[in-house]
Amino acid sequence: MTQAQIVQKTADFVKEKFSHEGTGHDWWHMYRVWQLAKQIAQGEKGADLFVVELGALLHDIADWKFHDGDSSVGGKAAREWLENQQVDHRVIDEVAFIVEHISFKGGTNQTPMRSLEGKIVQDADRLDALGAIGIARAFAYGGSVSREIYNPDVKPKQYGSLDDFKKQIADNHTVNHFYEKLLLLKDRMNTKTGKKIAEQRHEFMEMYLKEFYKEWDGKA
Ligand code: ADP
Ligand code: NI
């Protein structure tokens, strides 16, 4: 198989696994991350596009398999799929590393991403949590775990550690998620292309929140 055929076959596999998923981790998320990652890669010199595309398509494979966010599980699932496609071992190692290290775990916890390809895929994934799409995904996710849209009595917190972040309780509301994660992402972008797109999307979310509070208070 050519690289292009492997990429297409992987896209078909991911599409089948993630269709009709209602929490914002659906096939279309994988699709956008794939497209965004290719776009970012064009602005960065020296990225291996094959690794970028496979990493983008497979980045959330753990969520499909076990839904508990255990990232070593995702790495294994990606490895198994790529081995079955007879992908080169160097490429498999790079992609598995991306899948294992992509997730933002909140607070001051910075996920180190050692490869350029990983930085690109991580930026693409973060971008899909921002802007109009990011807002839709946040509320979809919040609803899926029965969170309130907003509650002015519950103020946002900063989580110092991974454990703290995991302890986020069900009575936190989705608007807090903007302050606890989404609005922090633009300063954590790895690539200049990613940062530029993040800044536009960040600005849109600020505008959205302004309008949201206005309407919340019942003002026209
Ligand atoms: P990652 O892809 O970095 O693992 P997550 O799985 O944490 O990201 O998030 C996937 C989507 O779900 C994002 O759009 C994110 O904003 C949303 N989400 C995650 N946690 C929450 C939350 N506590 N409240 C609302 N939305 C959330
Ligand atoms: Ni993702």
Side-chain angles (χ1 to χ4, degrees):
M1 270 195 291
T2 65
Q3 290 191 345
Q5 284 168 330
I6 293 169
V7 168
Q8 192 50 54
K9 198 171 167 200
T10 303
D12 294 343
F13 165 71
V14 172
K15 185 171 185 177
E16 194 216 303
K17 298 295 168 213
F18 287 91
S19 46
H20 309 296
E21 203 279 352
T23 70
H25 265 120
D26 56 355
W27 154 248
W28 297 107
H29 166 62
M30 314 310 152
Y31 173 78
R32 289 187 299 268
V33 172
W34 178 28
Q35 302 309 313
L36 276 164
K38 281 194 274 188
Q39 202 181 310
I40 296 168
Q42 276 167 12
E44 306 296 311
K45 272 196 208 98
D48 180 335
L49 203 56
F50 189 43
V51 172
V52 168
E53 292 195 59
L54 293 176
L57 283 166
L58 294 167
H59 82 275
D60 272 334
I61 202 77
D63 288 296
W64 152 67
K65 232 175 173 178
F66 293 93
H67 295 274
D68 65 356
D70 176 351
S71 48
S72 69
V73 168
K76 272 189 218 122
R79 215 172 252 290
E80 196 183 299
W81 167 256
L82 295 173
E83 272 164 8
N84 287 336
Q85 314 315 313
Q86 265 114 57
V87 170
D88 191 85
H89 276 274
R90 183 196 61 82
V91 171
I92 296 180
D93 287 346
E94 291 291 336
V95 174
F97 181 86
I98 293 174
V99 175
E100 280 163 20
H101 291 86
I102 189 149
S103 199
F104 170 90
K105 294 299 181 195
T108 50
N109 190 61
Q110 300 266 6
T111 314
M113 190 51 99
R114 75 170 178 212
S115 65
L116 173 60
E117 291 77 11
K119 289 179 174 154
I120 290 169
V121 175
Q122 191 172 49
D123 276 6
D125 190 33
R126 288 173 171 174
L127 284 173
D128 205 50
L130 302 182
I133 296 279
I135 293 168
R137 292 182 71 220
F139 288 111
Y141 180 89
S144 77
V145 293
S146 302
R147 293 216 168 116
E148 284 180 296
I149 290 175
Y150 177 51
N151 184 337
D153 296 332
V154 182
K155 303 292 177 211
K157 283 187 260 184
Q158 284 309 320
Y159 298 93
S161 67
L162 179 54
D163 271 354
D164 279 358
F165 191 63
K166 281 186 179 162
K167 275 189 221 131
Q168 279 193 92
I169 30 165
D171 55 79
N172 206 353
H173 55 80
T174 296
V175 168
N176 271 352
H177 185 65
F178 286 72
Y179 298 95
E180 290 163 5
K181 176 173 170 180
L182 305 180
L183 294 168
L184 309 178
L185 291 178
K186 86 166 164 40
D187 293 326
R188 298 183 177 207
M189 300 304 285
N190 302 305
T191 67
K192 61 177 183 336
T193 316
K195 190 166 174 67
K196 212 169 133 199
I197 308 171
E199 277 163 1
Q200 294 160 3
R201 294 186 179 198
H202 183 96
E203 211 173 296
F204 179 78
M205 289 195 300
E206 298 267 27
M207 255 169 55
Y208 173 82
L209 285 169
K210 223 166 129 185
E211 181 69 18
F212 183 99
Y213 296 129
K214 198 174 94 187
E215 294 180 14
W216 189 266
D217 283 327
K219 292 186 185 128

